[in-house]
Amino acid sequence: GAGVSQSPSNKVTEKGKDVELRCDPISGHTALYWYRQSLGQGLEFLIYFQGNSAPDKSGLPSDRFSAERTGGSVSTLTIQRTQQEDSAVYLCASSLRGGNIQYFGAGTRLSVL
Amino acid sequence: ELKVEQNPLFLSMQEGKNYTIYCNYSTTSDRLYWYRQDPGKSLESLFVLLSNGAVKQEGRLMASLDTKARLSTLHITAAVHDLSATYFCAVFLDYGGATNKLIFGTGTLLAVQP
């Protein structure tokens, strides 16, 4: 497709379970970003990829959160041992290169029960 | 700590009226973005402002940037219902490639009443 694609669109999980969120960026975009949107914290940066490398992981809330990107394309955000405070909408964005306009996906709504 | 503050947080206005949303930020940046978000939807890029004094206009929306004052404004002219949405400003940070991210404001929920 032409835009940033995220899956699943909704995920309900039980506290303590692991979840994986997927992002397919726009073809040819070298930069990829993960953000989190929640009522209490607003929109927060999580991690930035340039190619397959992550120069900035400073926004990851804890060591339960990790992300990888393979082939300079698809990225996966993994949350281990989910907690209720992890409930949020996780947004992925991509840009042609770092510093260009970021185009956002529709997000994954994560609910931890 | 970098702060990006928007005001107002909520704006209820009548169709046909004008209003301005303000975005103040606490660090130097050479790039500022405005995004729109409809309920349950993702973020849509509206404007990118690249230099001091930059002004961009699209339809009833006009954005400006004053880097010296660390202030951006989004002006709405003759509002229509279709403009109802949440508007975010976002400051771009780039520390020599070590980072590359947007710091978002709190958002302004705009409700245009008929």
Side-chain angles (χ1 to χ4, degrees):
Chain A
V4 178
S5 177
Q6 291 187 247
S7 61
S9 54
N10 283 282
K11 177 72 177 178
V12 180
T13 191
E14 294 179 351
K15 178 181 172 181
K17 300 285 188 183
D18 298 351
V19 295
E20 282 190 354
L21 312 180
R22 178 186 168 105
C23 173
D24 279 281
I26 293 171
S27 179
H29 280 196
T30 63
L32 185 147
Y33 311 80
W34 284 97
Y35 294 87
R36 178 169 75 172
Q37 185 172 27
S38 59
L39 281 176
Q41 301 299 321
L43 268 159
E44 306 173 278
F45 166 82
L46 298 178
I47 187 168
Y48 153 59
F49 286 93
Q50 180 56 50
N52 294 334
S53 300
D56 189 353
K57 307 177 185 179
S58 63
L60 295 177
S62 73
D63 58 8
R64 295 186 296 105
F65 287 72
S66 63
E68 65 174 10
R69 189 179 184 195
T70 56
S73 180
V74 172
S75 177
T76 303
L77 177 68
T78 301
I79 308 173
Q80 295 179 311
R81 305 181 304 281
T82 52
Q83 304 293 312
Q84 287 183 334
E85 62 261 29
D86 300 335
S87 296
V89 176
Y90 289 82
L91 293 165
C92 177
S94 71
S95 64
L96 189 60
R97 61 183 66 85
N100 293 124
I101 292 174
Q102 295 181 24
Y103 297 91
F104 283 79
T108 294
R109 181 175 296 278
L110 176 66
S111 300
V112 182
L113 304 180
Chain B
E1 181 188 347
L2 171 61
K3 289 187 178 179
V4 182
E5 297 180 341
Q6 279 181 246
N7 69 83
L9 297 182
F10 177 69
L11 177 55
S12 178
M13 58 190 299
Q14 288 185 319
E15 282 192 327
K17 298 292 187 182
N18 304 331
Y19 210 84
T20 300
I21 299 170
Y22 297 88
C23 173
N24 291 272
Y25 54 99
S26 62
T27 193
T28 56
S29 174
D30 63 357
R31 212 165 306 181
L32 187 136
Y33 294 85
W34 284 94
Y35 282 88
R36 167 180 173 148
Q37 186 176 39
D38 290 290
K41 305 288 186 181
S42 192
L43 295 160
E44 175 191 353
S45 174
L46 294 174
F47 301 107
V48 53
L49 302 166
L50 298 176
S51 62
N52 187 41
V55 177
K56 294 278 186 73
Q57 182 161 6
E58 180 72 33
R60 301 175 187 272
L61 300 177
M62 182 173 70
S64 67
L65 178 63
D66 181 342
T67 57
K68 293 179 181 177
R70 298 181 184 171
L71 170 69
S72 181
T73 61
L74 181 66
H75 186 73
I76 303 150
T77 301
V80 293
H81 181 68
D82 285 352
L83 290 179
S84 298
T86 300
Y87 293 85
F88 291 93
C89 65
V91 173
F92 175 73
L93 292 185
D94 173 9
Y95 298 138
T99 193
N100 200 297
K101 61 188 174 187
L102 295 175
I103 306 298
F104 283 87
T106 47
T108 297
L109 176 57
L110 173 65
V112 181
Q113 311 296 336

